[in-house]
Amino acid sequence: MSDIIQLLPDSVANQIAAGEVVQRPSSAVKELLENAIDSGADSIKLVIKDAGKSLIQVIDNGCGMSESDALRCFERHATSKIRKADDLFAIRTMGFRGEAMASIAAIAHVELKSRRIEDELATIVEIEGSEIIRQYPDQAPAGTNIAVKNLFFNIPARRNFLKSNSVELKHIIDEFQRVALAHPDKFLSFHSDGNELYHLPKETLKQRIIHLFGKTYNQRLVPVEETTSIIEIKGYIGKPEFAKKTRGEQFFFVNNRFIKDPYLNHAVLTAYEDILSLDTFPLYILFIDIDPSKIDINVHPTKTEIKYEDEKSIYAILRSTVKRSLGRYNIAPTLDFDQESGFNNLITPKPLEEIQAPTISFNPNFNPFETDSPRYERTKDYRATTDKTPAIPRNWDSLYKVTEDPEPQQLSLINEGSEKESPELNTQPTKQFFQLHNRYVVSQIVSGFMLIDQQAAHERILFEQFQQQLIDSQGVSQQSLFPQTVALNPSDFSLLDDMLPEIQALGFQLRPFGKNTYIVDGVPADLENINESQLIERLLEDFKSQSDLRLNKRDRLAKSLARQAAIKAGTKLDTESMAELIDRLFACQSPSISLAGRPIIITFTLQELAERFGKAQSY
């Protein structure tokens, strides 16, 4: 029997390695940008087309390569960073494994132009699927210019697994932002399909953060700085009131290398405990400088994970540093997310105008010894004002049949004598609604009463309404008196551009205005007293935070807008508003289940109440 174990050809081995190193276009962008940083360049330009599927080009002014190095860099395990195993524990550079260029060349068409400052001519190398097609000298500026074209051209199955251009572009932007944050002392630019998304001059870290994420971040940042014998920490954290529902703006850099570390993330979140709501995540951009011999970065193909020699000490130092920064800038003691809004009414608000002295009205002919005293007239008037009968869209009015009973079982301020004197009080059917702590609506029914979560109910109503508008593409728009400008970061701008047809179907009127900016001319007609720009920002943030894969894009958008536009807990409602809310809720297809899968309505029966009072009565 012949031998069955054989050595793989280099081209096949490189394609296998590419499966670990190059998972999508953003993976190639990361490797090329890191190589440009390692070359000593202080000016780097990134150009992509078709979200990196057609072209990824990185141009730098670094040290360049000689003719032999330009060829050797595409060999497996070819690196200039290490010479022996001990060098793995003294690494300060980004790339070192020697697999990136070989992996990229195995699955794309690559053209490399590189020239050292001391050389007169540059070296041009063209490769297709690990095979060198041409090599020749030519004129080119000092530095390196590498173009990766037709990614995964020889692996169509891998190319078919790529997402839409907007999704792949977002991943590329994420990688670019990480490199830009780690190196604010370098000029970087980013061009996508002929448009310049970023133009970042050499600047401080805070200026770089503002250029990447927007001018509003200038007021959101809290500086962090600490030096110990183990590590040195510096960077910025976000104020708790600006926390978001997504983790996108959380960055750890160890020796200027971006890493993902749930353990250190937990240390930061622990520092925010008691001042941050459970479903939100704070911004942080933290740099940890540590002796390379105390860490191992060679534990993951993409070099985004690190092992520490003393991780418990690093955890404790990081947590205390963040907590001290929050306290130093008087942030920690000023917030209380769990405050009961029902107590807010006990505090007298600051008057907006001059306080008027109270007036007293009285009847000068009042005689307390008269037998026919109109002392119950005010009660009669009160009952009359609450006598409203809303139109119910479905046959659920049988729940209120108790109000037509000549002897209804209800709480009343009227004694038996007054009922005899005023029998007309109970002749008209009535449906009563009460608001509890400005959060719940209480409605009496034949078997007891219903308790309705007003925010969850309104979210359900709006969700089904927006769903229908997206299907019909007939959302009614309300023109804004003063159109507002919404400036977004490139990632959010790309997301909004991809969602624009659905956004407009809901009733939004948006038009582009310059770089990464939209003007809001109109919003859905059902939205009242809202800030258009803040609504768009919160809508995108909530859309990104949804992880339910069962929902399509339209349902996710309808869900996000419903959450943002619904009335919130703590909003006071009048009787007519409560009646309309209940009518519209019972007209929904799923009136009892909230968007979060929790109940909207809880029913309490008279039998349950009687048992709570220790009575064994039957109703």
Side-chain angles (χ1 to χ4, degrees):
M1 183 176 180
S2 61
D3 297 333
I4 60 175
I5 298 178
Q6 300 178 2
L7 293 177
L8 287 173
D10 288 341
S11 59
V12 178
N14 288 337
Q15 288 186 14
I16 295 173
E20 295 180 341
V21 179
V22 186
Q23 301 174 357
R24 60 196 333 152
S26 61
S27 303
V29 170
K30 172 183 181 294
E31 299 293 344
L32 297 180
L33 288 177
E34 289 183 349
N35 285 342
I37 294 294
D38 288 342
S39 72
D42 62 359
S43 177
I44 303 173
K45 180 179 180 181
L46 171 64
V47 180
I48 66 169
K49 290 183 179 179
D50 193 23
K53 301 172 186 176
S54 299
L55 173 67
I56 301 172
Q57 186 176 16
V58 175
I59 306 170
D60 67 64
N61 64 346
C63 63
M65 290 182 283
S66 65
E67 180 181 353
S68 57
D69 284 345
L71 288 173
R72 194 176 294 117
C73 73
F74 291 104
E75 299 290 336
R76 291 193 68 194
H77 311 304
T79 178
S80 62
K81 316 297 172 55
I82 59 176
R83 293 291 183 268
K84 54 185 183 299
D86 292 341
D87 293 341
L88 287 173
F89 299 97
I91 290 176
R92 287 280 184 177
T93 57
M94 298 297 102
F96 62 90
R97 298 166 66 97
E99 293 180 342
M101 296 304 299
S103 299
I104 293 173
I107 55 175
H109 299 159
V110 179
E111 182 184 53
L112 173 68
K113 299 178 183 179
S114 187
R115 181 175 77 84
R116 297 181 298 182
I117 297 177
E118 61 269 23
D119 295 336
E120 294 183 358
L121 295 176
T123 299
I124 314 297
V125 180
E126 296 179 2
I127 297 179
E128 294 183 4
S130 295
E131 182 180 352
I132 298 177
I133 304 301
R134 283 202 305 168
Q135 177 194 357
Y136 57 95
D138 200 354
Q139 293 287 341
T144 301
N145 181 340
I146 182 168
V148 178
K149 305 174 183 178
N150 303 321
L151 197 66
F152 300 123
F153 80 99
N154 54 354
I155 312 180
R158 177 68 64 84
R159 190 178 181 90
N160 292 337
F161 274 99
L162 295 179
K163 305 298 183 181
S164 65
N165 283 2
S166 59
V167 174
E168 296 299 339
L169 178 60
K170 183 182 183 302
H171 286 287
I172 293 175
I173 290 176
D174 289 343
E175 294 293 349
F176 180 84
Q177 287 179 344
R178 293 164 185 171
V179 174
L181 288 172
H183 303 277
D185 58 333
K186 301 183 186 299
F187 167 80
L188 293 101
S189 64
F190 182 9
H191 299 255
S192 174
D193 294 326
N195 300 318
E196 186 177 45
L197 301 184
Y198 289 104
H199 185 91
L200 307 175
K202 299 178 182 179
E203 53 198 346
T204 64
L205 176 58
K206 185 173 184 179
Q207 291 172 331
R208 180 59 57 89
I209 295 172
I210 295 171
H211 277 157
L212 285 173
F213 301 114
K215 296 179 180 179
T216 58
Y217 282 71
N218 190 31
Q219 306 298 326
R220 304 183 183 186
L221 303 177
V222 177
V224 175
E225 189 170 358
E226 183 64 46
T227 301
T228 68
S229 59
I230 300 177
I231 59 174
E232 179 182 346
I233 301 175
K234 63 179 180 179
Y236 291 91
I237 56 177
K239 295 180 180 179
E241 60 264 34
F242 297 107
K244 296 185 176 182
K245 293 185 177 181
T246 55
R247 301 176 181 266
E249 297 173 349
Q250 297 181 337
F251 301 88
F252 274 122
F253 297 91
V254 175
N255 295 346
N256 272 7
R257 180 191 302 277
F258 172 78
I259 64 164
K260 299 177 182 179
D261 195 319
Y263 187 64
L264 296 185
N265 176 73
H266 186 269
V268 176
L269 295 182
T270 304
Y272 275 89
E273 63 183 357
D274 300 330
I275 62 172
L276 196 68
S277 56
L278 296 178
D279 59 342
T280 57
F281 304 94
L283 157 75
Y284 61 77
I285 301 170
L286 297 174
F287 292 79
I288 298 175
D289 192 77
I290 188 173
D291 184 352
S293 64
K294 304 295 183 182
I295 59 176
D296 183 5
I297 61 177
N298 191 31
V299 296
H300 194 273
T302 60
K303 305 179 291 293
T304 56
E305 297 180 8
I306 290 180
K307 288 187 177 180
Y308 308 91
E309 187 177 281
D310 189 3
E311 60 181 9
K312 291 185 178 179
S313 297
I314 297 175
Y315 180 98
I317 295 172
L318 180 61
R319 177 180 178 276
S320 61
T321 300
V322 173
K323 200 163 190 175
R324 183 166 59 251
S325 294
L326 290 172
R328 183 182 303 169
Y329 290 90
N330 298 323
I331 294 175
T334 61
L335 298 177
D336 183 8
F337 288 91
D338 297 323
Q339 180 181 356
E340 171 56 53
S341 62
F343 293 101
N344 293 338
N345 296 330
L346 301 178
I347 303 175
T348 304
K350 183 178 180 180
L352 299 178
E353 56 185 18
E354 185 179 355
I355 298 177
Q356 300 293 330
T359 59
I360 302 175
S361 60
F362 62 95
N363 183 7
N365 298 321
F366 173 72
N367 186 350
F369 298 99
E370 290 183 357
T371 55
D372 298 332
S373 175
R375 58 184 178 274
Y376 300 112
E377 289 183 0
R378 191 173 71 173
T379 304
K380 291 171 60 178
D381 294 339
Y382 168 75
R383 292 290 300 274
T385 58
T386 59
D387 185 31
K388 297 185 182 294
T389 307
I392 307 303
R394 293 188 178 183
N395 59 348
W396 59 280
D397 54 341
S398 59
L399 295 172
Y400 291 92
K401 284 183 179 179
V402 64
T403 59
E404 301 177 5
D405 195 311
E407 295 181 0
Q409 298 169 342
Q410 59 181 355
L411 293 175
S412 177
L413 299 177
I414 305 175
N415 58 24
E416 295 179 0
S418 63
E419 287 185 0
K420 293 179 181 180
E421 296 173 3
S422 307
E424 69 276 10
L425 293 178
N426 294 323
T427 58
Q428 297 294 330
T430 180
K431 298 181 178 65
Q432 295 182 343
F433 307 100
F434 306 94
Q435 195 176 20
L436 184 63
H437 291 287
N438 292 342
R439 294 187 177 188
Y440 305 99
V441 176
V442 182
S443 179
Q444 177 180 290
I445 58 176
V446 63
S447 60
F449 67 92
M450 293 186 300
L451 193 63
I452 300 172
D453 186 327
Q454 65 183 38
Q455 179 174 340
H458 200 208
E459 287 179 357
R460 166 56 63 179
I461 293 168
L462 293 179
F463 172 68
E464 295 194 6
Q465 174 185 321
F466 294 147
Q467 269 188 321
Q468 191 61 42
Q469 290 178 357
L470 286 170
I471 294 174
D472 300 336
S473 297
Q474 295 180 350
V476 180
S477 180
Q478 173 180 290
Q479 196 75 17
S480 299
L481 184 59
F482 300 103
Q484 291 195 15
T485 302
V486 183
L488 304 169
N489 61 55
S491 178
D492 287 345
F493 182 84
S494 175
L495 177 61
L496 181 59
D497 187 63
D498 184 58
M499 296 163 48
L500 196 57
E502 289 79 10
I503 289 282
Q504 292 174 336
L506 289 171
F508 284 95
Q509 294 182 8
L510 302 175
R511 55 188 170 95
F513 182 73
K515 179 182 178 182
N516 299 333
T517 304
Y518 272 101
I519 290 181
V520 185
D521 290 321
V523 296
D526 293 332
L527 308 186
E528 298 179 356
N529 302 322
I530 53 96
N531 183 298
E532 290 89 343
S533 60
Q534 292 181 3
L535 175 64
I536 294 293
E537 293 175 356
R538 292 197 300 264
L539 176 63
L540 293 175
E541 193 64 32
D542 189 79
F543 183 86
K544 292 186 293 184
S545 67
Q546 295 185 40
S547 58
D548 192 348
L549 299 178
R550 296 171 298 177
L551 297 178
N552 57 33
K553 182 171 68 174
R554 287 188 171 186
D555 288 344
R556 289 172 61 193
L557 180 58
K559 189 175 181 180
S560 299
L561 184 56
R563 284 175 169 172
Q564 299 305 320
I567 57 174
K568 302 300 186 287
T571 303
K572 186 174 180 60
L573 303 177
D574 56 27
T575 305
E576 292 182 0
S577 299
M578 288 186 282
E580 181 183 3
L581 181 72
I582 294 178
D583 291 350
R584 295 177 64 187
L585 175 64
F586 279 93
C588 292
Q589 295 181 358
S590 303
S592 59
I593 303 298
S594 71
L595 301 187
R598 294 188 289 267
I600 298 176
I601 305 170
I602 299 179
T603 303
F604 295 87
T605 66
L606 293 176
Q607 181 66 35
E608 291 174 340
L609 295 177
E611 292 175 356
R612 294 295 297 270
F613 283 103
K615 300 178 182 179
Q617 299 183 13
S618 175
Y619 293 92

